[in-house]
Amino acid sequence: MSMPLPSRRNLLLSAGAAGLLTGLASQPALAFGKKDKPVTAPNSDIMFTNASAAALAGIKRIVIANYVIAFQTETSDFREATRFNKAETKATNSWDNFDVDLMQEITDAGYAQLKADFVAHGIEVLETSVLASQPFYQKIQTATGFGSPAYWGNGDGKAVLVSATGLAPFQSYGPETGNFELYNGKSTGGAPNPPTMMKRLKPYQLPGWEIDLAKALDAAVVKAWQVVDFGKVEAGANRWGFGGGGGTLDRAEHTADASSHVRIREEQSRLSFRLPTSTNRKGESVRQIPATHMAPPKDGDVVIAVGNPIFMGSDLFTLTDAGETSGQRMTGFLLGGAQHINIAAHLDAPELYKTRVSGAVNTLMGNLVNAALPSPG
């Protein structure tokens, strides 16, 4: 039996089940607590992941070859109670009413702002149309290009990758971006030529192709990649029991702590520059061990990233218990699979979300360019 849950910005669920070998009936229960956490003040600290701003001295013109925002739409967590006496919990927090058109508006506004910020610094920004005829750009697109929007995933969970209108997206060289973008999950919703792990590992020539493109255009090749999260979830599990009498009492508690937490993700949100003067055709390598390590990318001669997350509030989504799917219930009953706790995150104020996220993205573009280039005089 399930119990309805009130709408909450932060939701703590627990589901307990008890059973005797002699046939004690299951006893599910739900509880919730944990009040909303206060919104943390925005912090847009900037970090250089490889070189410094000095390497960009003398830059007069650029071409923006890639502008992508990855909007997270689902995050999940898995937990076992003990190593040998398992009580697995799988918890997911899913955005149930995301709007790709809204995401596209935010992406296009950020792209326009980035161009304006470069122009304000006296930098010539080449039109996107110059890319199509460039042989090395064509090679890049053939190797790692993908359609927009792409329904994919990364180290934080499922995402929708949205490119600026009129600018075909591509993924950077895998060893330079590390584990975060290597998630090879299923593509749902459909996208032409969706990104895959293998496609990203093959083109070892990609850093060199970007340098060749920069030389051909006599311009720094700029790539912008940002990640916007909507929430968090943490699974919990506890199991205990005793033997004796005519049976064994075995109890399990499954918990999920979910929160609405809109933010621009640190380290992975970045601005990358490939320079026409570069000789580093092999690119850089970032730490990829252990597999859960999410290192800051180095997909350029100069990469400027967000050092700390930029928070935009915990009051935009309502969280409710979505219940287990029929397939999850069947798996748990027949195969002893994990207890699933599914949480639905519903965006209550789309226009407010757009205002906050777009404002933060636009401000970030200016901060990144300001860190990269001297103040306009």
Side-chain angles (χ1 to χ4, degrees):
M1 181 179 70
S2 62
M3 299 171 58
L5 293 169
S7 297
R8 299 184 66 84
R9 306 298 179 185
N10 194 85
L11 195 60
L12 176 64
L13 306 179
S14 69
L20 286 172
L21 291 183
T22 54
L24 179 64
S26 296
Q27 300 174 355
L30 291 174
F32 38 85
K34 285 196 177 183
K35 297 180 179 179
D36 293 350
K37 298 178 182 178
V39 178
T40 305
N43 187 337
S44 56
D45 292 344
I46 302 300
M47 61 184 287
F48 285 79
T49 69
N50 47 9
S52 68
L56 298 175
I59 292 295
K60 298 299 182 183
R61 66 180 190 171
I62 61 102
V63 60
I64 302 173
N66 210 20
Y67 189 98
V68 174
I69 299 181
F71 293 88
Q72 301 299 133
T73 58
E74 180 180 293
T75 182
S76 62
D77 192 26
F78 182 83
R79 192 61 51 88
E80 298 177 353
T82 66
R83 182 177 179 183
F84 299 107
N85 189 13
K86 297 181 179 180
E88 300 99 335
T89 304
K90 175 69 179 294
T92 61
N93 187 6
S94 302
W95 183 355
D96 68 1
N97 66 330
F98 64 84
D99 182 352
V100 174
D101 290 338
L102 182 68
M103 296 172 175
Q104 188 70 65
E105 292 176 12
I106 294 171
T107 303
D108 288 343
Y111 176 54
Q113 185 63 52
L114 178 59
K115 291 191 291 185
D117 288 328
F118 275 116
V119 171
H121 279 264
I123 302 298
E124 179 185 358
V125 179
L126 299 183
E127 293 296 329
T128 303
S129 58
V130 305
L131 292 169
S133 62
Q134 295 298 317
F136 294 108
Y137 179 76
Q138 294 168 6
K139 289 183 178 181
I140 291 170
Q141 280 295 328
T142 299
T144 69
F146 60 94
S148 174
Y151 297 76
W152 206 241
N154 52 36
D156 284 349
K158 291 182 180 180
V160 178
L161 279 58
V162 181
S163 175
T165 300
L167 185 59
F170 63 90
Q171 289 195 320
S172 293
Y173 183 40
E176 291 188 316
T177 54
N179 295 330
F180 186 77
E181 295 295 342
L182 284 180
Y183 175 66
N184 195 23
K186 293 181 180 179
S187 178
T188 59
N193 194 22
T196 69
M197 182 185 300
M198 292 308 298
K199 285 176 66 63
R200 295 184 62 253
L201 291 177
K202 283 182 179 179
Y204 63 89
Q205 308 98 325
L206 194 127
W209 289 342
E210 290 180 346
I211 293 171
D212 292 334
L213 176 62
K215 291 180 182 295
L217 296 175
D218 190 24
V221 172
V222 174
K223 299 175 292 182
W225 194 282
Q226 296 168 81
V227 179
V228 179
D229 283 316
F230 77 97
K232 293 182 177 180
V233 68
E234 183 176 356
N238 187 31
R239 189 168 188 168
W240 64 97
F242 62 87
T248 299
L249 178 66
D250 191 15
R251 302 184 66 88
E253 182 184 35
H254 306 270
T255 63
D257 184 11
S259 62
S260 165
H261 207 63
V262 181
R263 66 197 184 280
I264 295 178
R265 196 192 195 284
E266 72 281 7
E267 297 185 344
Q268 304 300 324
S269 301
R270 63 197 185 273
L271 199 62
S272 306
F273 296 79
R274 198 76 73 178
L275 305 178
T277 55
S278 176
T279 58
N280 185 16
R281 300 185 66 86
K282 293 183 179 179
E284 300 287 343
S285 294
V286 302
R287 177 183 167 188
Q288 299 185 42
I289 299 174
T292 54
H293 184 75
M294 304 298 170
K298 298 180 180 180
D299 57 331
D301 297 299
V302 180
V303 179
I304 310 169
V306 178
N308 291 292
I310 301 174
F311 296 97
M312 289 163 281
S314 60
D315 59 342
L316 295 170
F317 287 81
T318 295
L319 306 183
T320 57
D321 179 17
E324 285 190 309
T325 66
S326 59
Q328 290 168 346
R329 288 194 297 270
M330 184 67 71
T331 300
F333 179 74
L334 295 178
L335 303 178
Q339 170 89 30
H340 287 79
I341 299 178
N342 299 318
I343 298 148
H346 191 85
L347 179 60
D348 297 317
E351 286 303 317
L352 183 57
Y353 174 91
K354 175 183 173 182
T355 298
R356 290 188 187 177
V357 176
S358 191
V361 167
N362 293 355
T363 299
L364 176 60
M365 292 298 95
N367 289 342
L368 293 175
V369 174
N370 288 340
L373 302 170
S375 299

